[in-house]
Amino acid sequence: MALQAPVGTSDLLPEESLFWDKFKKTAFEVFGRYGYLPIETPLIERTDLFVRGIGEATDVVSKEMYTAISGENLKTLIGGGHIKSSSRLSLRPEGTAGVVRAAVQHDLVPQGAAPAKLVYAGPMFRAERPQQGRKRQFNQVGIECLGAEAPSVDAEGIIMLMRFFETIGIPYQSMHLLINSMGCEHCRPVFREAVHDFLAAHVDELCDDCKHRMETNPLRAFDCKNEHCLALMASAPRITDYLCEECKEHYETVKSYLNAADITYIEDTTLVRGLDYYTRTVFEVQVPEGTGAQTAIGGGGRYDKLVEEVGGRPTPGFGFALGYERCVLALQAAGLEFLKPQRCEIFIACVDDSTRAAAFKMVQGLRDVGLKAELDHQGRSLKSQFKLADKLGARLVATLGPEEVESGIITVRNMVNHRERKVDWAKMKALLLHFGGKPFEGTVATAAEIFGTFDEE
Ligand code: HAM
């Protein structure tokens, strides 16, 4: 049997790959209006970055991280040797830890400077049980804002994410925005203790996972999917009853900004998120229809201690990430179909082999000025070259026979309105020279500029 892509991964074939490009471009454009600049960090980082940043007791770190071992290190391990912690690398399960590491390493938030606003897009890796909307390699677009603790940053981020979702076509009414506050290093430990005590009092009713969570990370019990645990957690202590005055005020101000922007949200006191770095605001956007069991299309929150955790000076942070694959499911539920890409604008057909070299040169000249030009590479007859041109979506076809090459006058046919016009190749060459073919500057000429609009005939 032919080899398949690994379970939980998928190929983005050309139509979808083009959509992913457009998706990223739209995100960078929308977030750019809020001052976010792009950053790219490595797909692999030191394992201890994730252990320290995301938290050793989280599922993401304890169960789902792919650790990369070089051949040499593998030999050392098999031989019973030890590998240095600096050589232990993992594929990134999320983007925040890497961006924060880069911000500290390159001092992107010098003291007193404006906040660093960074946006990124790319693949993340988690060894989860694959299902619809849950992949082992998936794509995220995320943002991180470092250096400001005002609640306006949280509200601005949430509003910006909702604007992006609407811009790409996810209907506003189909989204549920859930928000909560996780408290800070002063009030959260008290809440954590209360949840621990609650779990301890009901230990016989807990699933095995929650019995373990009770000791390692009791707040994770709020995320348990087990029916009994879910029912039990409905009567567990609520963070809102434990928030300190500062956290309460922060949360209230975030909500007041959201209210002023007419953003509808649901306060969900059981929302705890799966990563340990959050403080204060947390939120998630869910689309219950059409996404299957995995309804969260994006989420994030504030993390005021993470930069210190990674070795930087105290710097507050806020961010979110959205899952591209889940957004596609939500978009498909709303009627999205990927567009068929146009591969060719002008096709140069050869009457016989004697004109192939001239056609080859012409096609190159057209490509150099930014047109999608194509010719046959498989020795097709003239008739089947026209069929191929049609298949490739070419609007124009030029036919080159010995006569055309000799006279330099070429007939170009518009495949849409079937009009034809004669084009003087010498003049066309002058036009091509005029446009000059400047690579990296995008399209410098349009087909209409070179061949006319075909309106006048
Ligand atoms: P997260 O909630 O783990 O947060 O992931 C963000 C989004 O990525 C999810 O809402 C979901 O759409 C998508 N996602 C997560 N896991 C998978 C998966 N296995 N398959 C497909 N999609 C998935 C973070 O990653 C944080 N770094 C967000 C953040 C940034 N918080 C602060 N800054």
Side-chain angles (χ1 to χ4, degrees):
M1 199 176 76
L3 291 181
Q4 308 280 310
V7 174
T9 69
S10 43
D11 303 302
L12 297 190
L13 301 180
E15 286 171 26
E16 187 169 6
S17 185
L18 285 168
F19 183 74
W20 166 229
D21 274 351
K22 188 173 149 204
F23 186 93
K24 279 186 285 190
K25 211 168 151 232
T26 309
F28 281 55
E29 199 276 310
V30 172
F31 301 155
R33 293 180 213 160
Y34 295 75
Y36 284 83
L37 294 176
I39 184 166
E40 300 227 6
T41 61
L43 301 196
I44 47 174
E45 295 274 358
R46 283 177 53 163
T47 304
D48 46 11
L49 169 70
F50 301 121
V51 173
R52 275 162 63 179
I54 301 172
E56 199 159 11
T58 58
D59 283 356
V60 169
V61 168
S62 66
K63 300 185 191 161
E64 296 164 4
M65 216 151 59
Y66 283 104
T67 290
I69 294 192
S70 69
E72 204 165 324
N73 280 338
L74 187 61
K75 266 195 236 152
T76 311
L77 277 183
I78 292 171
H82 182 75
I83 52 173
K84 298 193 297 261
S85 76
S86 60
S87 316
R88 285 189 210 141
L89 303 175
S90 291
L91 288 174
R92 62 182 188 190
E94 56 101 60
T96 312
V99 170
V100 166
R101 192 264 314 133
V104 172
Q105 183 174 337
H106 304 287
D107 197 19
L108 299 185
V109 204
Q111 230 144 18
K117 289 181 158 185
L118 301 162
V119 53
Y120 53 90
M124 308 292 160
F125 305 84
R126 295 183 194 176
E128 295 194 76
R129 201 163 37 80
Q131 57 171 220
Q132 191 190 31
R134 190 163 69 195
K135 303 242 158 222
R136 290 184 171 168
Q137 177 177 336
F138 55 98
N139 289 297
Q140 280 188 346
V141 175
I143 65 102
E144 312 298 341
C145 174
L146 299 165
E149 63 179 338
S152 51
V153 167
D154 315 25
E156 179 184 272
I158 295 173
I159 294 167
M160 168 173 108
L161 176 61
M162 299 308 278
R163 290 283 192 276
F164 168 71
F165 284 144
E166 278 186 275
T167 307
I168 54 161
I170 301 181
Y172 190 77
Q173 335 64 268
S174 72
M175 295 185 277
H176 293 181
L177 166 63
L178 309 182
I179 63 168
N180 191 21
S181 173
M182 296 290 291
C184 63
E185 76 270 31
H186 305 298
C187 53
R188 188 162 29 167
V190 188
F191 172 60
R192 198 183 136 107
E193 200 50 42
V195 175
H196 171 270
D197 294 349
F198 173 83
L199 294 174
H202 295 89
V203 70
D204 296 339
E205 301 160 59
L206 299 177
C207 72
D208 287 344
D209 274 348
C210 281
K211 279 184 188 142
H212 180 66
R213 286 173 184 137
M214 181 175 89
E215 297 309 339
T216 54
N217 201 351
L219 301 192
R220 305 281 338 125
F222 282 107
D223 257 357
C224 185
K225 301 287 176 278
N226 179 295
E227 262 175 50
H228 299 289
C229 298
L230 255 175
L232 180 70
M233 293 312 285
S235 53
R238 292 281 173 256
I239 180 76
T240 29
D241 297 328
Y242 290 80
L243 293 179
C244 63
E245 279 313 309
E246 287 82 3
C247 287
K248 229 183 252 171
E249 195 187 327
H250 187 98
Y251 187 45
E252 291 305 317
T253 315
V254 172
K255 286 190 285 178
S256 72
Y257 280 123
L258 295 179
N259 293 338
D262 284 330
I263 299 282
T264 9
Y265 54 84
I266 302 162
E267 287 184 70
D268 179 354
T269 53
T270 65
L271 181 69
V272 288
R273 313 258 312 130
L275 312 156
D276 271 359
Y277 48 62
Y278 291 112
T279 50
R280 297 192 165 165
T281 315
V282 285
F283 72 98
E284 208 158 273
V285 183
Q286 301 182 346
V287 175
E289 295 295 318
T291 47
Q294 303 302 321
T295 58
I297 57 170
R302 177 160 282 286
Y303 48 85
D304 290 343
K305 295 285 149 203
L306 179 59
V307 178
E308 277 168 81
E309 204 63 63
V310 168
R313 68 176 87 83
T315 308
F318 171 89
F320 62 70
L322 54 97
Y324 162 75
E325 286 76 7
R326 292 189 197 167
C327 287
V328 167
L329 292 175
L331 284 166
Q332 283 170 334
L336 167 85
E337 280 176 32
F338 298 129
L339 292 177
K340 274 230 157 317
Q342 193 195 12
R343 270 184 66 178
C344 171
E345 291 169 280
I346 173 153
F347 190 95
I348 312 293
C350 299
V351 168
D352 57 40
D353 275 350
S354 69
T355 59
R356 178 162 286 279
F360 189 84
K361 196 164 174 221
M362 190 182 274
V363 161
Q364 198 49 52
L366 294 169
R367 289 170 179 161
D368 285 345
V369 294
L371 296 189
K372 290 179 179 168
E374 192 54 283
L375 83 168
D376 165 50
H377 290 288
Q378 293 158 306
R380 285 180 160 83
S381 68
L382 187 60
K383 195 170 158 202
S384 57
Q385 287 179 59
F386 265 83
K387 277 195 193 148
L388 174 64
D390 211 33
K391 228 177 165 172
L392 297 178
R395 286 168 53 89
L396 302 175
V397 178
T399 310
L400 277 195
E403 233 170 76
E404 281 80 8
V405 174
E406 173 79 30
S407 67
I409 304 296
I410 299 147
T411 306
V412 179
R413 186 180 171 85
N414 182 315
M415 302 288 275
V416 181
N417 60 20
H418 306 295
R419 288 179 177 154
E420 289 188 347
R421 64 182 311 199
K422 301 256 183 248
V423 174
D424 185 336
W425 178 233
K427 281 193 195 152
M428 212 169 91
K429 271 207 290 204
L431 257 179
L432 295 184
L433 269 178
H434 164 74
F435 283 109
K438 298 182 192 107
F440 299 115
E441 285 185 23
T443 304
V444 286
T446 63
E449 281 166 328
I450 303 286
F451 297 104
T453 57
F454 287 78
D455 287 341
E456 68 277 21
E457 284 94 332

